[in-house]
Amino acid sequence: MFINHFRVGVVPGVTALLLTAALTGAISGALTAPAGATEPLPDPWYMPATQRAAQFAGFQQTERRSVIEFQPFRAELSATLPGGAPVRLTALNPRVNSWFILETGAGNEARAFHLENAAPDVFVISLSTGEAPAIEITSGNGRSTCRPWEGELQEAARSGLPYAPICDQQLYLRNRGSGSRSARESMAEFLRGYVPFGESIITLLKDTLYEDAYLQTSEALDEAEAGAAVEALGQAELRSHPVMRSNLRVDLIGTEEGRMEAGSWYAVQDAPGVYASVMQPGMVHPDILNRRGEANGLDGVENNADVHLFAFDLSRFEMGYELGTDHPAVTWSPRPSGAGRSGLPGPDGFNTLQPLAMTGMLSPVMTDRVAAIFAGGFKREHAAFRSGPMSQSNSGHHYGFMVQGVVLSRLQPGLATLFTLDDGSIQMRTWQEADNALLPRIRFARQNGVALVEPGPDGAPVAGEHVRSWMLGNWSGSAEAQLRTLRAGACIRQADGRQFLLYGVFSSATPSGMTRTFQSYGCDYAMLLDMNALDLTYAAIYTRQPGEEGFQTFHLDRRMAESDTRQRDGTMIARFVEYSDSRDFIYLLRRQGRE
């Protein structure tokens, strides 16, 4: 069953109202009062326990339905407008409090709009159902109302902006993004004129919720912190550590002109918590390379192919995930056949995300905190198993994904999964059936094949079970069907009480070469992301000078800059941040209160 209630969290200068929920045997029917209030407020998204349990049970079935009907935690509020037209607001996951569907009218007049809460930790969204219905927005500063169906929604839709502000900029209408030059320039102009939003919402967030987010402490303290993280990361376990000239353009602390000792870590200038490293798989120590039964041998090309890595100290970052305008889709992959395929429109019962609108870019509210972005993973065509046991069960094990607590493709057992929970923790592991109990707590998730590195029988990390098997690992290859190709992957590592996320781009590697590299860096769990092209393995970090607006973009491989675009005047526009893209991406935001 499902509990659905509010929790109040106090941050400097503002009371953040958060929706919480969990599978349990009870239902809470009240909104916890804000600081200073004496009576609890009714929970607008209350649903009886039996109805909530039935809805979750329905989610677990495989049947034809819409993506909205698929949502296990959705809740609805309905009303009638003065003219008699119906209006309905659906919270796709009230606990996460981020995505909503607003439906107006009936029959030929019916319209559906995808809304996003500009600040889910600040604003609680609901629909009043009296004689004059309105969207209600509650925060620690009080309650406001708006009626966007009285023209504001239509104007926002005509704007073509991926995130069009409505309701005093407290909500966005999400419009499907466009990658055309005119749309990119319009969005860049909007961001540069609208962010940081003057005296509006972002001022509130900066002055309260994110107070001191970019406060700079003394240089000595910064260096000490960076040194402690570098010490915790240590060196990769290599046979030798020669000096290499990296393909990075970013300034690194402790080295000049791109000269880096192989396997060592260097703090990135003006990007606290971000570190860089470079190596080649042939440098991995023989004690790792010669472990029998774990991975295949590496050839001469792979041995000498550069690997560039970023490491992120996760105590400083929040992680999120966003779909591209086109990928990954929710249609069938052509790979499964026979028992792995049904007559449904898609593996989860639908083949379109409409009326949801995928923007393919970061929310403008997050621009001031973005620290890094990297490409998400395989598009749907390649995101299922062609052969082997996984191709014949669970509809071919299409790789699953969730955004803002909304299940867009079911998370499948046996697949490597990177996800974020409601407490902000970031985890990476092989998904199991029992992990479905975590679904009410998941905010973002992305699956991509099977593990490169995983815990062994004694808990120590070993090569993934299917690293050596082309078929069982579903590893794909280049357009020329070569297993060795450009690949990207990520891993999670615990070191001296710190958790790090590593992202690596392998200029020419097999799954075995990736596995040996991640093992040499001490990874606890590692997974493949995407491959074959620099725009599909894209990784960028964003540095800021203290006291200055804007950011500079630096790529893990300098050639990735070609994936960004320019305005007609030559000004660079950052991919995923300042314009929409067709591909999905994972992003890291600086945690509030960290420099």
Side-chain angles (χ1 to χ4, degrees):
M1 300 181 188
F2 190 80
I3 185 168
N4 184 355
H5 63 278
F6 293 95
R7 179 180 76 247
V8 172
V10 179
V11 296
V14 68
T15 300
L17 301 177
L18 306 178
L19 291 163
T20 63
L23 288 172
T24 183
I27 290 287
S28 168
L31 170 63
T32 305
T38 58
E39 298 293 333
L41 302 175
D43 177 356
W45 301 108
Y46 171 81
M47 182 182 290
T50 53
Q51 184 179 349
R52 182 67 72 182
Q55 187 167 285
F56 189 80
F59 160 77
Q60 296 175 304
Q61 304 301 312
T62 301
E63 58 191 19
R64 185 183 297 265
R65 55 194 155 184
S66 71
V67 66
I68 306 304
E69 295 167 333
F70 179 61
Q71 298 311 308
F73 313 122
R74 70 187 187 278
E76 301 173 356
L77 295 171
S78 298
T80 301
L81 300 178
V87 60
R88 177 167 62 182
L89 184 67
T90 300
L92 298 180
N93 189 328
R95 181 185 193 188
V96 175
N97 185 36
S98 183
W99 279 10
F100 301 82
I101 294 296
L102 178 65
E103 298 171 272
T104 62
N108 292 334
E109 301 298 320
R111 296 287 305 278
F113 303 90
H114 184 182
L115 307 184
E116 180 168 319
N117 190 342
D121 290 350
V122 177
F123 303 129
V124 173
I125 311 300
S126 62
L127 177 71
S128 64
T129 57
E131 295 183 357
I135 290 180
E136 291 190 343
I137 303 171
T138 306
S139 74
N141 292 339
R143 178 176 297 176
S144 63
T145 61
C146 73
R147 297 177 176 85
W149 46 81
E150 295 179 350
E152 191 176 19
L153 280 171
Q154 289 73 19
E155 182 179 350
R158 286 193 298 270
S159 74
L161 294 172
Y163 296 89
I166 62 172
C167 297
D168 292 328
Q169 304 170 358
Q170 297 169 106
L171 290 173
Y172 291 118
L173 171 65
R174 288 175 59 105
N175 293 308
R176 186 176 182 274
S178 170
S180 69
R181 175 183 290 275
S182 59
R184 293 176 181 183
E185 292 183 334
S186 296
M187 192 61 200
E189 291 172 3
F190 165 74
L191 284 168
R192 289 164 184 171
Y194 185 59
V195 175
F197 299 84
E199 287 73 42
S200 190
I201 176 175
I202 290 302
T203 299
L204 167 69
L205 297 182
K206 280 185 170 182
D207 292 345
T208 56
L209 188 62
Y210 303 144
E211 186 176 25
D212 295 335
Y214 303 114
L215 177 66
Q216 296 295 309
T217 54
S218 68
E219 183 177 354
L221 180 59
D222 288 344
E223 291 179 355
E225 171 67 11
V230 167
E231 183 177 356
L233 284 165
Q235 282 187 316
E237 193 173 347
L238 307 181
R239 68 174 74 230
S240 63
H241 299 270
V243 174
M244 301 175 62
R245 187 174 296 278
S246 79
N247 212 17
L248 293 167
R249 282 192 176 136
V250 66
D251 292 331
L252 303 175
I253 297 174
T255 188
E256 296 179 356
E257 299 179 352
R259 296 171 62 83
M260 302 171 66
E261 185 180 47
S264 296
W265 290 101
Y266 299 85
V268 177
Q269 188 73 46
D270 300 320
V274 183
Y275 306 87
S277 185
V278 64
M279 58 87 73
Q280 295 174 350
M283 298 175 182
V284 173
H285 198 280
D287 288 349
I288 296 175
L289 286 177
N290 296 334
R291 292 177 186 172
R292 299 181 63 84
E294 282 199 350
N296 297 323
L298 314 184
D299 66 22
V301 174
E302 184 171 13
N303 277 334
N304 297 306
D306 288 352
V307 179
H308 288 83
L309 304 99
F310 281 139
F312 304 94
D313 181 347
L314 292 182
S315 68
R316 292 180 171 271
F317 303 106
E318 302 170 14
M319 189 189 81
Y321 170 69
E322 184 73 43
L323 261 64
T325 57
D326 299 299
H327 302 293
V330 291
T331 52
W332 285 99
S333 165
R335 291 186 170 188
S337 60
R341 202 172 183 91
S342 72
L344 294 173
D348 293 307
F350 50 89
N351 60 7
T352 177
L353 291 176
Q354 293 180 351
L356 299 179
M358 299 302 113
T359 65
M361 67 175 291
L362 194 69
S363 166
V365 166
M366 301 174 183
T367 303
D368 275 6
R369 291 199 296 142
V370 64
I373 281 178
F374 48 92
F378 288 144
K379 62 182 182 180
R380 194 60 159 210
E381 179 181 352
H382 305 131
F385 285 75
R386 187 188 307 276
S387 55
M390 283 195 183
S391 72
Q392 300 296 309
S393 61
N394 290 349
S395 300
H397 282 77
H398 288 72
Y399 304 170
F401 41 91
M402 293 177 63
V403 181
Q404 299 290 2
V406 179
V407 186
L408 301 178
S409 181
R410 196 189 310 272
L411 301 184
Q412 298 290 350
L415 299 187
T417 310
L418 175 62
F419 61 96
T420 299
L421 295 178
D422 54 359
D423 61 4
S425 62
I426 299 170
Q427 301 186 33
M428 185 187 293
R429 67 169 181 257
T430 299
W431 194 257
Q432 306 295 336
E433 289 283 1
D435 289 325
N436 286 331
L438 286 174
L439 287 176
R441 297 190 55 205
I442 291 180
R443 293 204 62 172
F444 304 97
R446 181 57 154 109
Q447 293 187 313
N448 224 49
V450 296
L452 291 166
V453 177
E454 62 186 356
D458 62 354
V462 298
E465 179 183 4
H466 301 307
V467 164
R468 293 187 297 169
S469 173
W470 171 277
M471 178 185 72
L472 298 180
N474 204 39
W475 295 115
S476 297
S478 69
E480 293 75 31
Q482 295 294 322
L483 186 58
R484 175 171 45 73
T485 185
L486 173 68
R487 294 178 182 268
C491 85
I492 288 286
R493 181 187 173 194
Q494 301 286 341
D496 291 348
R498 297 171 182 257
Q499 185 185 37
F500 294 92
L501 174 67
L502 276 61
Y503 180 88
V505 172
F506 299 71
S507 57
S508 185
T510 63
S512 292
M514 297 180 72
T515 295
R516 293 312 195 197
T517 297
F518 281 132
Q519 286 179 312
S520 74
Y521 278 95
C523 294
D524 301 307
Y525 192 99
M527 61 188 288
L528 176 69
L529 288 176
D530 212 338
M531 53 192 288
N532 290 340
L534 286 168
D535 64 318
L536 305 182
T537 58
Y538 182 93
I541 60 172
Y542 308 95
T543 66
R544 291 172 172 81
Q545 294 291 335
E548 293 185 7
E549 292 289 344
F551 55 81
Q552 288 185 287
T553 305
F554 294 95
H555 302 89
L556 190 51
D557 185 310
R558 66 181 65 190
R559 296 169 295 176
M560 291 175 179
E562 298 172 6
S563 295
D564 293 340
T565 191
R566 293 182 183 272
Q567 297 189 102
R568 290 182 176 87
D569 63 3
T571 305
M572 289 297 301
I573 309 177
R575 184 185 183 192
F576 300 121
V577 179
E578 295 184 294
Y579 68 92
S580 299
D581 196 88
S582 65
R583 304 303 292 251
D584 60 329
F585 61 95
I586 295 165
Y587 58 86
L588 295 176
L589 305 177
R590 296 204 173 278
R591 291 188 186 274
Q592 61 193 50
R594 298 305 302 263
E595 69 274 11

